[in-house]
Amino acid sequence: MARKKLNRFDLQNMKEARQPAVWITAYDYWTAQFAQQAEMDMILVGDSLGMCIYGYDGTVPVTMDQCIYHSEAVRRGAPQTFVIGDLPFLSYQVSVEEAVRNAGRFYKEAGVDAVKLEGGGRVSGQIRAIADGGMLVMGHIGLTPQSSGQLGGFKAQGRTAETAEAVIEDALAVEAAGAFAILVEAVPPEVCGIIRERLAIPVYSIGAGADADGQLMICSDVLGIFQAFTPKFVKKYENLADKSIKALSAYAKEAREGVFPADEHTYKMVEGEYEKLTALLEKKTT
Ligand code: KIV
């Protein structure tokens, strides 16, 4: 029997029961199916799809339409899983109106359960407006890839007392603005632990250690598909890149050698029909 889809209250109860929520990114139908079958509590259709699917250097070029297409596919693959749409660069920064409209597009066109956006205090107006629009919004602080230029690259954040304090201030601002949960990326575990203690809403980690209310990982990292680089916080549970190259090479070799397709991969003509066909063709040529 399919597992019950979680809602925000289930996630809140999990925090209170100290039961970690586990989630993963997915960008397409079949990965979403795998994630649901693996009983992930949530799926993020991250704008990391820019790197993992489209081969961009970062997430800045990703468009709202791309995020919608991928979220629709994920929704179809995982109808019983809490799905979060990730607001891409320039879909919410310009104004609160744009933020609400684009968050609403995720809900109306892709059937998501929540949206996520990057930033702390500086996006509290957008968080408030989206929440006031009746939607669930998750904050994302620490390393925020859409502003990696300002951060000097994809670098860990909050490693000094002063910068850690700024990350904690951001977390408090996100909660005060009405977010239902927050994701903390690439900060030391001590900092994530303080945030978890101070916030009533669930605090999730990606690269922020185990002292959190749950863990997110990028699917292409966990499965060993993404080859461009591997962040320090990634654990590869498989090497599907190697396995895929091996499988594709075996197919190419067999097809070139005429070993594939074999008899069992071909359709059989209905008994006696081949003889009829050759007779027909012969009649036509004489
Ligand atoms: O886009 C994404 O997958 C994300 C993670 C890096 C947290 O936002």
Side-chain angles (χ1 to χ4, degrees):
M1 202 178 69
R3 199 169 167 236
K4 171 190 169 285
K5 185 163 125 181
L6 300 181
N7 61 40
R8 67 170 302 187
F9 300 110
D10 298 315
L11 296 166
Q12 188 66 42
N13 290 339
M14 286 169 79
K15 174 186 175 91
E16 272 138 42
R18 292 237 154 200
Q19 183 191 339
V22 182
W23 45 313
I24 192 87
T25 63
Y27 315 110
D28 55 53
Y29 174 76
W30 49 283
T31 317
Q33 284 188 316
F34 295 160
Q36 181 162 297
Q37 285 164 28
E39 303 201 340
M40 290 293 155
D41 296 307
M42 292 185 275
I43 294 176
L44 171 68
V45 189
D47 64 353
S48 49
L49 63 87
M51 296 147 99
C52 300
I53 301 290
Y54 290 92
Y56 304 147
D57 282 346
T59 55
V60 168
V62 175
T63 67
M64 196 56 214
D65 283 341
Q66 286 172 320
C67 289
I68 295 279
Y69 299 147
H70 288 275
S71 300
E72 284 181 70
V74 166
R75 177 78 291 163
R76 285 192 288 270
Q80 290 304 117
T81 308
F82 191 96
V83 170
I84 303 165
D86 203 11
L87 284 160
F89 181 63
L90 232 53
S91 68
Y92 60 92
Q93 286 91 343
V94 175
S95 68
V96 294
E97 287 79 8
E98 279 193 30
V100 175
R101 192 164 292 117
N102 285 318
R105 278 195 68 191
F106 267 124
Y107 271 74
K108 283 172 84 85
E109 297 175 39
V112 302
D113 300 292
V115 297
K116 173 173 88 57
L117 51 68
E118 295 183 9
R122 67 182 178 184
V123 291
S124 53
Q126 283 88 335
I127 293 174
R128 168 57 55 210
I130 294 169
D132 284 349
M135 295 172 270
L136 289 176
V137 53
M138 178 185 284
H140 175 174
I141 58 163
L143 169 54
T144 45
Q146 290 172 20
S147 40
S148 59
Q150 277 186 341
L151 303 176
F154 296 102
K155 288 185 173 158
Q157 302 295 304
R159 298 180 65 213
T160 63
E162 199 183 320
T163 57
E165 192 189 13
V167 174
I168 294 165
E169 290 298 323
D170 270 339
L172 293 168
V174 164
E175 178 174 59
F180 81 101
I182 190 166
L183 175 67
V184 184
E185 178 167 358
V187 306
E190 298 89 330
V191 180
C192 190
I194 293 171
I195 295 171
R196 177 199 209 179
E197 238 171 60
R198 295 203 179 173
L199 264 52
I201 57 174
V203 175
Y204 301 119
S205 154
I206 176 164
D211 197 357
D213 299 311
Q215 297 293 326
L216 166 68
M217 287 302 288
I218 305 284
C219 190
S220 332
D221 288 335
V222 170
L223 298 179
I225 295 169
F226 187 67
Q227 297 179 296
F229 63 89
T230 306
K232 177 180 169 63
F233 58 74
V234 165
K235 179 169 177 184
K236 290 189 182 186
Y237 285 82
E238 244 316 337
N239 194 335
L240 288 195
D242 276 1
K243 287 195 166 156
S244 303
I245 294 163
K246 223 185 239 172
L248 294 174
S249 303
Y251 155 61
K253 183 171 184 286
E254 288 198 354
R256 285 186 186 118
E257 290 171 354
V259 175
F260 176 83
D263 213 35
E264 70 263 31
H265 308 119
T266 56
Y267 298 100
K268 307 281 170 267
M269 281 196 81
V270 173
E271 181 114 21
E273 292 300 309
Y274 179 68
E275 291 71 18
K276 272 195 213 165
L277 174 67
T278 47
L280 266 173
L281 295 176
E282 219 167 274
K283 216 165 142 190
K284 271 201 172 163
T285 51
T286 52

